[in-house]
Amino acid sequence: MNPSHIEHIGIAVEDLESAISFYENIFGLKCYKIEDVPDQKVKTAFFMIGETKIELLASTDTDSPVGKFIEKRGEGIHHIAFAVEKIDEKLKFASEAGIRLIDSKARRGAEGLNIAFLHPKSTFGVLTELCEESNKKHND
Ligand code: CMX
């Protein structure tokens, strides 16, 4: 995979506004963007720390990955995202190594990144995301 860094840590929260207020007022971080991702039925809020982001995720529908997660396990770390290059090649490599893919091909996620998830049952219980900046996508 050779990730360059942790792109973001996704945290599932019940109430986006109170979680934003926690990171702003207690940690002194600035929320630089709030984005709806209708495809995933979530509203997201982003904070930058060095090269890594904190992505707060609030479900907009109980029947969504984040809604189901909170219902089953409560609030908490939902996923870790690694920055990679040539994401489709990395997915092929993971699949050939027997890792269960949620997305067999990268798709467009929040922040305009190309993203794909690996199933937590194949990754020691951690929902794992691969991210590639869209202008770095290689289809060859
Ligand atoms: N981390 C670790 N384990 C998780 C998990 C998570 N985030 N979400 C679900 N699981 C576990 C469940 O606890 C459950 O385990 P058990 O069978 O031992 O109880 C198992 O995975 C199956 O969970 P489920 O509730 O039945 O849910 P589904 O199988 O329907 O879906 C998953 C699970 C991971 C495939 C689904 O959540 C998914 O496709 N996630 C990727 C997309 C996503 O999470 N989008 C939201 C973020 C979007 C963004 O960042 O923009």
Side-chain angles (χ1 to χ4, degrees), residues 91-120:
L91 288 170
K92 185 165 178 284
F93 169 75
S95 174
E96 285 171 359
I99 308 296
R100 185 168 156 197
L101 307 184
I102 293 173
D103 303 293
S104 55
K105 274 198 161 291
R107 57 190 167 82
R108 190 56 67 96
E111 295 261 275
L113 297 170
N114 293 316
I115 64 155
F117 284 92
L118 311 182
H119 201 285

Side-chain angles (χ1 to χ4, degrees), residues 40 55 57 65-66 68-69 72-73 78-79 102 117 119-121 125 127 129:
Q40 297 293 312
E55 179 187 27
L57 300 154
V66 171
K68 282 168 77 180
F69 176 88
K72 261 196 169 170
R73 304 161 66 125
H78 179 262
H79 65 268
I102 293 173
F117 284 92
H119 201 285
K121 293 293 175 195
L127 176 59
E129 181 180 349

